[in-house]
C-alpha cells in the first residue's frame, strides 16, 4: 500500500465514531489544503478525495457538502495568500523567498506557455491551471508578471478552486461507491488521483 493511502487508512481506522471524524476531519482537511496551496508538496487532491470517501460512507447529512466547502475555501485562501506574498516580492527591489519559491516551480518554458494562454484566454486559464497537475504555479506567476491585482486574481481563482474541489471530490465518491469499507475506497481514490496527476506529465513527455 502506498504512503498516502496507508496514512489515510490508519486515520480512518483510528477515529472511533462518526462525530469524532467530523470534529477532527474538517479542521485537519482545511489546514492541510491551506498549507498545500502555500507549499505545493502536500498532495491536496488526494486529501480531498480521501475526505470525500469518508463523507460518502457517513450517515450525517451534508457531509459531502462540508468537504466541498472546506476544501474549496482552504484552496482559495491559500492561493490568495501565496499570490499576495508574490506581489509583495514583485514590488520589492530584492524580491522575496516566496517569489523565488514560485519562480523555482515555474520553468521558463512553462511560464512562456502560461503567459501566452493567459493573454489569449484570460480567467479561463486559471480554472484549467487548477485542474492540471503542476499547472497552478506557472499561471500564478504569469498573473504576477502581467501585474494582475489581487482582486482580479481572486475573482478568477474562485471558480478555479470550486472546480478543483468538485473534481477531486467526484474522484473520491467514485472510489467510495465501489467498496463497502471506507479504507478500501480511500485506497481506490488515492490510486485514481495518482493516475490523474501522472497523465499530463506522460502526455508532455510523449509529445516531446
Amino acid at each position: 500500500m502506498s504512503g498516502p493511502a496507508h496514512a489515510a487508512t490508519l486515520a480512518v481506522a483510528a477515529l472511533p465514531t462518526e462525530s469524532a471524524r467530523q470534529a477532527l476531519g474538517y479542521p485537519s482537511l482545511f489546514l492541510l489544503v491551506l498549507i498545500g496551496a502555500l507549499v505545493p508538496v502536500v498532495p491536496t487532491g488526494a486529501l480531498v478525495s480521501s475526505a470525500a470517501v469518508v463523507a460518502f460512507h457517513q450517515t450525517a447529512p451534508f457531509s459531502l457538502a462540508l468537504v466541498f466547502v472546506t476544501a474549496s475555501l482552504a484552496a482559495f485562501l491559500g492561493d490568495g495568500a501565496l499570490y499576495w506574498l508574490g506581489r509583495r516580492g514583485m514590488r520589492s527591489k530584492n524580491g522575496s523567498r516566496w517569489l523565488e519559491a514560485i519562480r523555482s516551480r515555474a520553468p521558463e518554458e512553462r511560464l512562456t506557455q502560461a503567459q501566452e494562454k493567459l493573454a489569449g484566454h484570460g480567467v479561463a486559464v486559471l480554472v484549467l491551471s487548477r485542474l492540471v497537475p503542476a499547472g497552478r504555479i506557472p499561471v500564478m506567476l504569469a498573473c504576477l508578471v502581467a501585474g494582475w491585482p489581487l482582486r482580479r486574481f481572486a475573482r478568477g481563482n474562485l471558480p478555479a478552486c470550486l472546480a478543483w474541489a468538485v473534481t477531486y471530490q467526484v474522484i473520491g465518491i467514485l472510489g467510495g461507491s465501489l467498496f463497502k469499507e471506507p479504507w478500501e475506497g480511500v485506497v481506490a481514490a488515492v490510486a485514481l488521483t495518482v493516475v490523474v496527476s501522472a497523465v499530463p506529465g506522460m502526455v508532455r513527455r510523449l509529445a516531446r
Side-chain angles (χ1 to χ4, degrees):
M1 188 180 296
S2 63
H6 182 61
T9 302
L10 290 177
V12 171
L15 296 176
T17 65
E18 192 170 295
S19 60
R21 292 177 188 176
Q22 292 178 343
L24 295 175
Y26 296 125
S28 300
L29 177 65
F30 180 88
L31 183 61
L32 289 172
V33 172
L34 182 68
I35 293 173
L38 288 168
V39 185
V41 294
V42 178
T44 52
L47 288 171
V48 175
S49 297
S50 300
V53 171
V54 177
F56 180 82
H57 285 278
Q58 288 179 347
T59 58
F62 309 117
S63 295
L64 288 170
L66 286 172
V67 170
F68 169 73
V69 171
T70 301
S72 55
L73 179 61
F76 178 74
L77 293 177
D79 284 356
L82 183 59
Y83 192 80
W84 179 77
L85 291 167
R87 275 183 59 80
R88 287 191 62 186
M90 294 290 288
R91 292 195 296 266
S92 173
K93 292 182 180 180
N94 299 322
S96 70
R97 67 183 184 89
W98 286 102
L99 180 60
E100 289 303 314
I102 295 173
R103 290 187 183 277
S104 68
R105 292 182 172 86
E108 192 65 31
E109 179 184 353
R110 299 288 302 280
L111 174 60
T112 301
Q113 293 174 353
Q115 288 175 312
E116 293 173 353
K117 293 176 181 177
L118 190 66
H121 303 283
V123 171
V125 177
L126 280 174
V127 178
L128 292 175
S129 72
R130 252 287 176 185
L131 299 178
V132 176
R136 179 175 66 100
I137 296 300
V139 172
M140 182 181 289
L141 182 57
C143 292
L144 288 169
V145 173
W148 280 27
L150 177 59
R151 183 175 297 180
R152 183 181 181 186
F153 174 80
R155 283 199 303 266
N157 194 51
L158 178 58
C161 291
L162 295 176
W164 170 81
V166 166
T167 299
Y168 282 99
Q169 189 165 1
V170 167
I171 292 175
I173 292 172
L174 290 174
S177 64
L178 295 175
F179 302 96
K180 293 183 179 181
E181 295 296 329
W183 71 267
E184 294 175 324
V186 167
V187 173
V190 171
L192 284 172
T193 303
V194 171
V195 171
V196 170
S197 301
V199 167
M202 293 174 63
V203 171
R204 283 195 296 268
R205 282 193 287 271
L206 289 173
R208 290 172 185 172

